[in-house]
Structures are given as C-alpha cells and as structure tokens.
Amino acid sequence: MLGGVRKPLAERESFTAELAEASSSTLTFTWAPSGDAAVDAATSYTFGLYKDEACTDLLVQFSTDASSSVWNKKSPKFIFTGLEQGKTYWFKALVDDYAADDEFIKASNVVAGTTSTFDIVTEASSANVGDVLLAEDFSELLWFGDMAGQAAGHVNVPGYKDGATLKSNPGQALGEGNTDAKVTFMLYGQEARLFSNLGAAVKDSRLDSWGQINEGSSNLVCARPGYVKLGAASYVGFIVTPELGSLAEGKYYDLKVTYKAARYKPRCGCSGDCLEHTCRDVHRGRMARVFSSGKVREEG
C-alpha cells in the first residue's frame, strides 16, 4: 500500500487454463489455480472472452466471488454462448483473491478457441436428392448450465430462480461488469422448459416454429446452451421440427436424419432431478447438439 492507496498490480501468468469443448456457437474453458478442486471452487475470479490474442478487445467478462456455489465444489468450468461460428476467440482468467501486500495478480495463460462451422437451413427451396431440408444447431439458446459438458453457465438476468418464466429474450451477456448483480450464474445441472418457461424468450426465433410431444407429463423439452434436452422427471419428451414445406403434397420421400446426442440417465435410482448430479451418466457426444439435419435420399 502507498499512502493508504493500493498500488496497481501487474498480472503474472500463474496457472493453466484449457479449452474443454467447442461447438458452432459455444466455447467451454476450464482452469484450476491450486489444483485442489475445493479450494479452486471457493476462489473469486474474473474471466473473459476476447476478440484478440492480446486480450484488449473484450467480448464479455464475468466475475464470481468466493462464496458462489456455481462451481459445485469442482474446479471452474464455464461455457460461453451466442458466439459467431467459424471464429477464433481468446480466453483469460484472473484470481481476484489477493492481499494488500501481493506483488501481482495471478492470471491464467491466454487460450484460443475456435467455433466450428454449421450451415443453418430453415426453409429449403427444393427437395431434390441430396438437398438439405432442415439443419439446426440451436445456437439461439444461450442460457443455463451445460449438463453434457458439466460446465456452469448463466442467464442474462439477475436473480433468476429455477422454474421461473422469462417474459422476454434476455439476449447475450456482453462487456464487463457481469457479476451476480447483472446475471444469474447457473450450475451445470440447471435448465428450463423450452416451450413454457422460455416461450416468450424464443418467440420470433427459429425455434418458434418447432414443437413438442410429451409422454406422461407436459413441457418435457428443456433448454440448454446450444442444445436441447429431451425428457425430464423420468418422462420422455420429443421435439418436433417445423413443417418441411419443400416436400410436395401427395408424394412419399425417404429422408435421412442425422443428429448428435448424449445419453442421459440416473444411475443412483433417484427420480431424475438429483441436484448434486453425482448420478448422471453422460456419454460421448452432445445432447442433441445437432438435432436434425435431414437430407432427401431418394424420392418415390
């Protein structure tokens, strides 16, 4: 301290951050300053995504304090959403827990991450053999935790409670100062029902023309960042594509449907809503990351 005023501290690379996963609209990063998960989870951080390697052109920055439960007693892992496809971004994390006599701020290395490319098709103009009729990456879904990747996420409104209904689309968090006074940090197990809790949020989006079929309950299609979860509370849910208007009425078509998915089932005998999520059996792949990419194989 100089005259009772904290001296400016320089950043020093002191721990390693890594790119954990990338999709066409998301990047997930993880970091572990101490190597002890319990200690890392109880540490304050500022972490952000930048448009340049020098980390001077900020896209979005978040700050969590040591009392936050968002890391679920694990080393931090966070998913950034709403990103441009086929674009490279750079990540850096800072430890905000430092004493007055510290000589520097602990910083991670700068990590690059590149989103994949994906050709979205909402309405095909023809239905010839080989044409793609529909392709969706669910990139308009920006919120909640990433259960498949076990990464924390956010909702771009403060004080969001589980089961609450969003009255409008909160959009993507941008810029600095995104603390829990501006956003709600979400554990990786937290989600919302797509066509009920988020009905207003997806209005006028591509998903507004999709639908659902439910078995034994209602609103079983759940929103996750960049994908959907089909089913909840031990019931099966089905998502329904928009009408494929390029298919001629009165004709039969042989359609090829491709998708990426991850298995989701409880292993501990719980009802399927275990908040600790120690019972989840998540296998390789993304949970309906690309639910539908239909091609006309042959026409009859």
Side-chain angles (χ1 to χ4, degrees), residues 164-184:
T165 297
L166 290 176
K167 297 181 180 180
S168 62
N169 188 325
Q172 180 186 19
L174 295 170
E176 60 185 357
N178 289 292
T179 66
D180 56 11
K182 287 187 176 182
V183 302
T184 303

Side-chain angles (χ1 to χ4, degrees), residues 11-84:
E11 298 174 9
R12 181 182 298 178
E13 185 176 320
S14 306
F15 58 95
T16 300
E18 297 178 344
L19 174 67
E21 192 168 2
S23 77
S24 56
S25 65
T26 68
L27 292 172
T28 300
F29 296 89
T30 185
W31 62 100
S34 73
D36 184 315
V39 173
D40 292 338
T43 299
S44 298
Y45 299 102
T46 292
F47 52 97
L49 203 60
Y50 297 82
K51 300 177 184 179
D52 65 324
E53 188 174 6
C55 295
T56 58
D57 189 2
L58 178 68
L59 176 69
V60 61
Q61 188 181 70
F62 296 96
S63 294
T64 58
D65 61 38
S67 63
S68 175
S69 61
V70 69
W71 309 123
N72 201 29
K73 301 179 182 179
K74 302 178 185 296
S75 294
K77 191 177 185 182
F78 192 84
I79 184 168
F80 292 87
T81 60
L83 307 178
E84 295 181 39

Side-chain angles (χ1 to χ4, degrees), residues 18-156:
E18 297 178 344
L19 174 67
E21 192 168 2
S23 77
S24 56
S25 65
T26 68
L27 292 172
T28 300
F29 296 89
T30 185
W31 62 100
S34 73
D36 184 315
V39 173
D40 292 338
T43 299
S44 298
Y45 299 102
T46 292
F47 52 97
L49 203 60
Y50 297 82
K51 300 177 184 179
D52 65 324
E53 188 174 6
C55 295
T56 58
D57 189 2
L58 178 68
L59 176 69
V60 61
Q61 188 181 70
F62 296 96
S63 294
T64 58
D65 61 38
S67 63
S68 175
S69 61
V70 69
W71 309 123
N72 201 29
K73 301 179 182 179
K74 302 178 185 296
S75 294
K77 191 177 185 182
F78 192 84
I79 184 168
F80 292 87
T81 60
L83 307 178
E84 295 181 39
Q85 60 172 282
K87 185 177 178 64
T88 299
Y89 298 86
W90 288 265
F91 170 86
K92 182 175 66 173
L94 304 175
V95 171
D96 284 343
D97 291 340
Y98 49 89
D101 57 352
D102 283 350
E103 295 297 321
F104 59 89
I105 297 173
K106 294 179 181 179
S108 74
N109 55 316
V110 176
V111 186
T114 303
T115 54
S116 58
T117 58
F118 187 94
D119 293 327
I120 295 169
V121 177
T122 58
E123 186 174 349
S125 59
S126 63
N128 300 315
V129 174
D131 285 351
V132 176
L133 306 184
L134 178 71
E136 178 58 66
D137 66 351
F138 300 100
S139 55
E140 292 173 305
L141 298 179
L142 311 176
W143 319 289
F144 303 99
D146 177 11
M147 209 287 296
Q150 298 193 357
H154 80 289
V155 176
N156 194 26

Side-chain angles (χ1 to χ4, degrees), residues 134 209-211 239-244 291-292:
L134 178 71
S209 59
W210 289 62
I239 194 165
V240 181
T241 72
E243 180 180 356
L244 302 178
F291 181 82
S292 181

